[in-house]
Amino acid sequence: MGKNIESNLANTPHFNPLNPQEFRKQAHEMVDFIADYYQNIDSYPVLSQVQPGYLRANLPQNAPSLPESLETILEDVKNQIIPGMTHWLSPNFFAFFPSTVSTAGFLGEMLCTCFNSVGFNWIASPAATELEMLLPKSFMFQGTGGGVIQNTTSEAILVTLIAARDKALDVDGSGNLNKFVVYASDQTHSTFAKACKMVGISPRNIRLIPTTIDAGFSLSPIQLKAAVEADMENGLVPLYLCVTLGTTSTTAVDPIELLAGVAKEHGMWVHVDAAYAGSACICPEFHHHLNGVELVDSLSLSPHKWLLSGLDCWVKNPTALVKALSTNPEYLRNKQSESDSVVDFKDWQVGTGRRFKSLRLWLIFRTYGVVNLQDHIRSDVGMAKIFEDFVRSDPRFEIVVPREFGLVCFRLNPDENFGSDYTELSNQKLLDWVNSTGRVYMTHTKAGGIYVLRFAVGATLTGDNHVVAAWKLIKEGADALLKTV
Amino acid sequence: MGKNIESNLANTPHFNPLNPQEFRKQAHEMVDFIADYYQNIDSYPVLSQVQPGYLRANLPQNAPSLPESLETILEDVKNQIIPGMTHWLSPNFFAFFPSTVSTAGFLGEMLCTCFNSVGFNWIASPAATELEMLLPKSFMFQGTGGGVIQNTTSEAILVTLIAARDKALDVDGSGNLNKFVVYASDQTHSTFAKACKMVGISPRNIRLIPTTIDAGFSLSPIQLKAAVEADMENGLVPLYLCVTLGTTSTTAVDPIELLAGVAKEHGMWVHVDAAYAGSACICPEFHHHLNGVELVDSLSLSPHKWLLSGLDCWVKNPTALVKALSTNPEYLRNKQSESDSVVDFKDWQVGTGRRFKSLRLWLIFRTYGVVNLQDHIRSDVGMAKIFEDFVRSDPRFEIVVPREFGLVCFRLNPDENFGSDYTELSNQKLLDWVNSTGRVYMTHTKAGGIYVLRFAVGATLTGDNHVVAAWKLIKEGADALLKTV
Ligand SMILES: Cc1ncc(COP(=O)(O)O)c(C=O)c1O
Ligand SMILES: Cc1ncc(COP(=O)(O)O)c(C=O)c1O
């Protein structure tokens, strides 16, 4: 019976956008294009010099009807896209925190894309789930609870806040969110307050406790305790504390052990945002920053910031999330999930679908080994130290807070600049000038009211020579600026 | 002054995990590994046959101290990872919805990984922001509002719910979430109810309106109206309607225009989840399903499901999100953002960081052109039609709901199975047997109480021959099963 239909099948070949021969040829071309890009990356202005709207003027706004060749498209990448890039992998990129990459991370990403599996539950991709479960030990986190990869720190904070909120609502039973209070320092990444608002915490109940330059912008357990007690006196319920290991502005380290001690007395959920500096803790000399981590409910770190992986966030201890995030629709049911012998990672995150991202970290750990990864952290810290020494050796500049990791926070000295009012403007001018050359890209922040220049070492390709050249350029800018004043 | 320090610099080369020569060599090796995988993919069991916990027994649990060679690692991928994969790209994968990929999508992903930019604001990656802004027209969505790439549909629903909630709270002023009600059909993806709970909507106020097989499991505007009116009489406030274009179970299409008409009378936010079937609307013959889309507040589609791209979700009309999701910390301030001449995509999503994902879709549209993309949709639909005809030609089977896209919903006929109680068990047995062969992977669902087998055509490499072979296997299973009864 199926017979007739079968013989009716058109034997015209279907359009096949994944022909293995063509894939092989074009992917090899792309590898060469990318290797050339890395080879020449030094020659591009690190900060893009284009004007807003530049691309709309240069590329068609509609998808073409007919196919175009890879050559044509790569020409456009070269001529239209690359000039509009701020080159995060340039060795002259010292802005924000770095977004590191590595050959192994790249290969891991290729494999992840190759399999293109959507591992929402175990059966949909057993290897994807199980490889991710092997990672925690590599991060030197022994304890229980495992780990899971989220897309961003923001998502990690969001899902842990939801778990904390739902646990507290269960205990409380009123269904009223308005009495929950959350705590962090005023140096905490802005995404914390955003996530709190997303889950329905009243902005009135977000306590961003002030820090001081004298305490290195670190959150004081005494002040936390005072804030919590004041809130409780007012009938509010302490819900969640976000501790930062390496703040975005100045890499301040909040003392996990003391803070968790205070928070745990009042049953709060404690999360550690170790987005940047968490990776450094693979070196024994930085590991003490994690003291007390066994007291916390969750910890996140972004391996793309310093561990040579693409954009990601790794969260320790996410089992507590499952209650708040699980679903069980019929179309995803299967024997293994029902038998409770497996983990379904969809219940540990916002989305249902998820990629096989653990391949990247796994390739990185295996390709480089812990020894080289430690070297990599240390060499960045060493280069930051070189830069710090440069700054200290020039009396026109000052170090604003002591350097701990790969970030140097410095500025033109107020004394050199006719009073403090003028200092911010001078530093802004210096920054604008340096960035406008396209030879270095740095960013700024404000901490304790002080306008600070941030020099973040960590782009994978940066070597001593780039740090030396950057310092020369900054001095040149200062020379010109201070002459004209 | 810097002089002495400079001359003190150690001239030992740093560990460089992105050496361009080594990158070139190893990435070429990986391309060949992947091309070989695609070439041999037919030979692997499509559903992994491993047992829970298999990997822990076969791979080291700690990161090695010292580096390992790419060859060693690829051996482990071959021997340990691949056997544990459920091969989503296998031409014999007919489960869930497909996760499509293509050479162009792969190359786009490589470029995205290559630049490794973190485009939270315009200046951090002008080209990344501007290319993403060029996409909407390619999706045939003319209107205003633009589009933005999110990670998953779940995230798209989450952020639009938050925007709707905050808008309504602003109007209302009470700060009390408990009176908001949200609506969808009982066929809506489970992630909808999950997202509602995440943003603090009471589970009591989530209305999943029953659908019927007679109405093709489509949400009835009359029933929606009745539900909304009943809630309003009880003093509740209608907040958000989620309409699905192509439900997960059976690809039912909710009528956008009529539903939006009802919802808009009461000021609700209307979101369209077009995760799977939205891509089909690039073909004129499917475009009518979008009738009324100009009335809705947001629409999401997942190009990985049918548009040859990796895991993603594209959201139309996200400008309304900015109010709920924006942040403005000092460390991200810059002239362009301040001047309002640019878009900062961090304010349209959960996370701060974001990858240059639009490169994938851009490469796909340009490499294939609209004509080939339409062909691709049509050829999948054509193959599904072939399968449907097979099923219809065999009286032991029945089609449960009419096929509209690439999914065929069918089952062993109750009449053949000694009554309806036994039907579910027989179909389950058939499914288990088919999947256990490793030659085909299908999944099931329940709709209107009926246990349904789902045959979803769309894996990129699937051709007529695979559909024919799958049908033969299913018949073989039915033969054996019905003989033993
Ligand atoms: C300490 C810290 N937390 C959170 C973030 C935001 O991370 P994401 O973009 O992953 O949400 C950053 C980004 O720089 C950060 O430095
Ligand atoms: C209609 C529909 N909506 C939402 C989802 C969930 O998508 P995501 O994993 O992107 O959150 C799916 C997944 O299959 C779907 O079919």
Side-chain angles (χ1 to χ4, degrees):
Chain A
M1 48 207 169
K3 213 60 192 166
N4 294 347
I5 304 171
E6 269 177 56
S7 54
N8 282 342
L9 292 182
N11 269 328
T12 46
H14 292 290
F15 162 63
N16 180 3
L18 192 63
N19 177 299
Q21 283 78 36
E22 196 170 72
F23 170 85
R24 197 185 297 268
K25 185 173 160 294
Q26 297 201 339
H28 279 308
E29 265 177 72
M30 188 58 95
V31 166
D32 285 324
F33 184 89
I34 293 173
D36 290 347
Y37 169 76
Y38 290 149
Q39 228 147 8
N40 300 326
I41 196 166
D42 232 338
S43 68
Y44 300 118
V46 50
L47 178 67
S48 175
Q49 311 282 310
V50 299
Q51 293 305 308
Y54 90 100
L55 200 62
R56 191 168 287 267
N58 290 302
L59 282 182
Q61 285 176 55
N62 285 301
S65 239
L66 297 175
E68 299 182 75
S69 72
L70 183 56
E71 286 60 41
T72 315
I73 298 171
L74 286 181
E75 274 304 298
D76 275 351
V77 172
K78 213 177 264 173
N79 300 326
Q80 311 301 343
I81 303 288
I82 288 183
M85 294 305 296
T86 290
H87 298 279
W88 282 70
L89 297 195
S90 164
N92 304 312
F93 186 95
F94 302 102
F96 309 113
F97 281 134
S99 166
T100 55
V101 81
S102 57
T103 300
F106 197 103
L107 301 185
E109 180 68 43
M110 285 173 78
L111 266 185
C112 167
T113 309
C114 155
F115 293 128
N116 207 32
S117 68
V118 183
F120 36 72
N121 56 21
W122 182 86
I123 190 69
S125 246
T129 298
E130 299 207 0
L131 193 68
E132 196 157 333
M133 292 172 73
L134 285 184
L135 288 178
K137 287 208 176 159
S138 301
F139 279 113
M140 326 270 137
F141 292 119
Q142 303 295 340
T144 53
V148 66
I149 298 174
Q150 308 271 353
N151 292 300
T152 55
T153 298
S154 306
E155 205 168 317
I157 294 179
L158 182 75
V159 292
T160 52
L161 263 170
I162 289 169
R165 180 199 67 185
D166 289 359
K167 210 169 120 189
L169 281 175
D170 260 4
V171 172
D172 167 282
S174 75
N176 186 354
L177 284 175
N178 286 333
K179 57 177 172 305
F180 292 135
V181 199
V182 297
Y183 305 84
S185 90
D186 62 356
Q187 299 297 308
T188 304
H189 194 279
S190 60
T191 202
F192 171 66
K194 174 170 166 175
C196 291
K197 286 181 227 149
M198 291 177 90
V199 307
I201 304 289
S202 162
R204 281 192 313 276
N205 292 353
I206 303 174
R207 306 273 172 270
L208 300 180
I209 299 171
T211 55
T212 62
I213 190 166
D214 297 331
F217 297 115
S218 162
L219 176 57
S220 148
I222 295 166
Q223 288 212 40
L224 172 68
K225 194 170 156 67
V228 171
E229 284 170 359
D231 285 325
M232 290 180 70
E233 264 166 40
N234 289 322
L236 299 173
V237 178
L239 179 71
Y240 185 102
L241 166 68
C242 181
V243 174
T244 307
L245 200 175
T247 59
T248 312
S249 275
T250 65
T251 68
V253 177
D254 296 338
I256 299 179
E257 188 154 20
L258 294 173
L259 292 167
V262 173
K264 284 298 161 191
E265 258 175 53
H266 304 289
M268 294 163 77
W269 185 292
V270 181
H271 180 78
V272 177
D273 171 2
Y276 165 70
S279 300
C281 299
I282 63 165
C283 297
E285 65 270 32
F286 291 116
H287 204 264
H288 65 276
H289 289 310
L290 286 173
N291 284 352
V293 76
E294 66 286 351
L295 301 173
V296 311
D297 298 281
S298 51
L299 173 147
S300 54
L301 68 83
S302 291
H304 71 97
K305 287 206 159 74
W306 214 358
L307 218 61
L308 304 174
S309 176
L311 191 62
D312 256 346
C313 177
W314 185 81
V315 186
K316 169 184 150 53
N317 248 9
T319 36
L321 303 178
V322 174
K323 186 146 183 245
L325 302 179
S326 55
T327 57
N328 190 17
E330 186 67 32
Y331 40 81
L332 299 182
R333 285 213 167 145
N334 63 85
K335 271 182 293 191
Q336 288 83 357
S337 298
E338 236 97 297
S339 76
D340 256 351
S341 59
V342 297
V343 160
D344 290 344
F345 273 134
K346 72 176 170 48
D347 298 334
W348 306 42
Q349 63 170 19
V350 173
T352 316
R354 61 200 321 273
R355 308 176 69 221
F356 194 170
K357 286 199 194 174
S358 54
L359 279 169
R360 295 199 299 221
L361 285 166
W362 183 66
L363 255 85
I364 289 167
F365 282 121
R366 293 200 55 183
T367 304
Y368 302 124
V370 173
V371 165
N372 276 318
L373 292 174
Q374 290 173 339
D375 256 22
H376 148 74
I377 298 280
R378 287 172 185 146
S379 104
D380 288 347
V381 172
M383 286 190 278
K385 185 151 185 355
I386 290 172
F387 186 85
E388 184 190 17
D389 289 343
F390 285 150
V391 173
R392 287 193 193 280
S393 71
D394 185 332
R396 298 173 301 173
F397 288 89
E398 68 172 14
I399 296 289
V400 178
V401 282
R403 184 202 48 73
E404 176 69 12
F405 305 102
L407 174 71
V408 182
C409 292
F410 72 112
R411 62 168 177 168
L412 281 167
N413 207 315
D415 298 344
E416 289 287 319
N417 291 292
F418 318 98
S420 65
D421 270 3
Y422 199 61
T423 309
E424 176 164 338
L425 195 62
S426 309
N427 277 288
Q428 259 176 24
K429 276 195 177 163
L430 175 61
L431 181 67
D432 283 348
W433 181 84
V434 166
N435 287 342
S436 73
T437 64
R439 285 157 58 201
V440 161
Y441 183 31
M442 299 191 300
T443 48
H444 80 284
T445 191
K446 266 188 192 169
I450 300 174
Y451 186 96
V452 181
L453 302 177
R454 296 172 76 265
F455 188 83
V457 179
T460 314
L461 294 164
T462 301
D464 293 349
N465 53 328
H466 302 100
V467 174
V468 169
W471 173 243
K472 275 198 184 133
L473 185 73
I474 293 164
K475 274 201 307 187
E476 205 181 298
D479 290 345
L481 190 73
L482 297 177
K483 204 177 299 155
T484 61
V485 204
Chain B
M1 49 204 166
K3 213 63 192 167
N4 294 348
I5 302 172
E6 270 177 55
S7 54
N8 282 343
L9 290 183
N11 268 329
T12 45
H14 292 289
F15 161 63
N16 180 2
L18 192 64
N19 177 298
Q21 283 78 36
E22 196 170 71
F23 169 85
R24 197 185 299 268
K25 184 172 160 294
Q26 298 201 338
H28 280 306
E29 267 177 72
M30 188 58 93
V31 166
D32 285 323
F33 183 89
I34 293 172
D36 291 347
Y37 169 76
Y38 289 149
Q39 228 148 7
N40 299 327
I41 195 166
D42 232 337
S43 68
Y44 299 118
V46 48
L47 177 67
S48 175
Q49 311 282 311
V50 298
Q51 292 305 309
Y54 89 100
L55 200 62
R56 192 169 287 268
N58 291 302
L59 282 182
Q61 285 176 55
N62 285 300
S65 238
L66 296 175
E68 298 182 77
S69 73
L70 183 56
E71 286 60 43
T72 315
I73 298 171
L74 286 181
E75 274 304 298
D76 274 350
V77 172
K78 211 177 265 171
N79 301 326
Q80 312 300 343
I81 303 289
I82 287 184
M85 294 305 296
T86 290
H87 299 279
W88 283 69
L89 297 194
S90 164
N92 305 313
F93 187 95
F94 302 101
F96 308 113
F97 281 136
S99 167
T100 55
V101 80
S102 57
T103 300
F106 197 103
L107 301 185
E109 180 68 43
M110 285 173 78
L111 267 184
C112 167
T113 308
C114 156
F115 293 128
N116 207 32
S117 68
V118 184
F120 37 71
N121 56 21
W122 182 86
I123 190 69
S125 246
T129 298
E130 299 207 1
L131 194 69
E132 195 156 334
M133 292 172 73
L134 285 184
L135 288 178
K137 288 208 176 160
S138 302
F139 279 112
M140 326 271 139
F141 292 119
Q142 302 295 339
T144 51
V148 68
I149 298 174
Q150 308 271 352
N151 292 301
T152 54
T153 298
S154 306
E155 204 168 316
I157 293 180
L158 182 75
V159 293
T160 52
L161 263 169
I162 289 169
R165 180 199 68 186
D166 288 359
K167 211 169 120 189
L169 281 175
D170 260 6
V171 172
D172 167 283
S174 75
N176 186 354
L177 283 175
N178 286 333
K179 58 177 170 306
F180 292 135
V181 199
V182 297
Y183 304 85
S185 89
D186 61 357
Q187 298 298 309
T188 305
H189 194 279
S190 60
T191 201
F192 171 67
K194 174 169 167 176
C196 291
K197 286 181 227 150
M198 292 178 90
V199 307
I201 304 290
S202 162
R204 281 191 313 275
N205 293 351
I206 303 175
R207 305 273 172 269
L208 300 181
I209 299 171
T211 55
T212 63
I213 189 165
D214 297 332
F217 299 115
S218 163
L219 176 57
S220 149
I222 294 166
Q223 288 212 40
L224 172 68
K225 196 170 154 70
V228 171
E229 284 170 0
D231 284 326
M232 290 179 72
E233 265 167 39
N234 289 322
L236 298 173
V237 178
L239 180 70
Y240 185 101
L241 166 69
C242 181
V243 174
T244 306
L245 199 175
T247 58
T248 312
S249 275
T250 65
T251 68
V253 177
D254 296 337
I256 299 179
E257 188 153 22
L258 294 174
L259 292 167
V262 174
K264 283 297 160 191
E265 257 175 52
H266 304 288
M268 292 162 78
W269 185 292
V270 182
H271 180 78
V272 177
D273 171 2
Y276 165 70
S279 300
C281 299
I282 63 165
C283 298
E285 65 271 31
F286 290 115
H287 205 263
H288 65 277
H289 289 310
L290 286 173
N291 284 352
V293 75
E294 66 286 351
L295 301 173
V296 311
D297 298 281
S298 49
L299 173 146
S300 53
L301 69 83
S302 290
H304 71 97
K305 287 206 159 74
W306 215 359
L307 220 60
L308 304 175
S309 176
L311 191 62
D312 255 348
C313 176
W314 186 80
V315 186
K316 170 183 150 56
N317 248 10
T319 38
L321 303 179
V322 175
K323 186 147 183 247
L325 302 180
S326 56
T327 56
N328 190 18
E330 186 69 31
Y331 41 81
L332 299 182
R333 285 211 167 146
N334 62 85
K335 272 182 293 193
Q336 288 84 356
S337 299
E338 234 97 296
S339 75
D340 256 350
S341 59
V342 297
V343 160
D344 290 345
F345 273 134
K346 73 177 170 48
D347 298 336
W348 306 41
Q349 64 170 19
V350 173
T352 316
R354 60 200 322 272
R355 308 176 69 221
F356 193 171
K357 287 199 193 173
S358 54
L359 278 169
R360 294 200 299 220
L361 285 166
W362 182 66
L363 255 87
I364 288 167
F365 281 121
R366 293 200 55 182
T367 303
Y368 302 125
V370 173
V371 164
N372 276 318
L373 292 174
Q374 290 173 339
D375 256 21
H376 148 74
I377 298 280
R378 286 172 185 148
S379 104
D380 288 347
V381 172
M383 286 189 278
K385 187 152 182 355
I386 290 172
F387 186 84
E388 185 191 16
D389 290 342
F390 285 151
V391 174
R392 287 194 192 280
S393 71
D394 186 332
R396 297 173 302 173
F397 287 90
E398 68 174 12
I399 295 289
V400 179
V401 283
R403 184 204 47 74
E404 175 69 14
F405 305 102
L407 174 71
V408 181
C409 291
F410 72 112
R411 62 169 177 166
L412 280 168
N413 209 315
D415 299 342
E416 289 287 319
N417 292 290
F418 317 97
S420 64
D421 269 4
Y422 201 60
T423 309
E424 175 164 339
L425 195 61
S426 308
N427 277 289
Q428 257 176 25
K429 275 196 179 164
L430 176 60
L431 181 67
D432 282 348
W433 182 83
V434 167
N435 288 342
S436 73
T437 65
R439 285 156 59 200
V440 161
Y441 183 30
M442 300 191 303
T443 48
H444 79 285
T445 190
K446 265 187 193 169
I450 300 175
Y451 186 95
V452 180
L453 302 178
R454 297 172 75 264
F455 188 83
V457 178
T460 313
L461 293 165
T462 301
D464 293 348
N465 55 326
H466 301 100
V467 174
V468 170
W471 173 244
K472 277 201 182 131
L473 186 72
I474 293 165
K475 275 201 307 188
E476 203 181 299
D479 291 345
L481 191 72
L482 296 177
K483 203 178 299 156
T484 61
V485 204

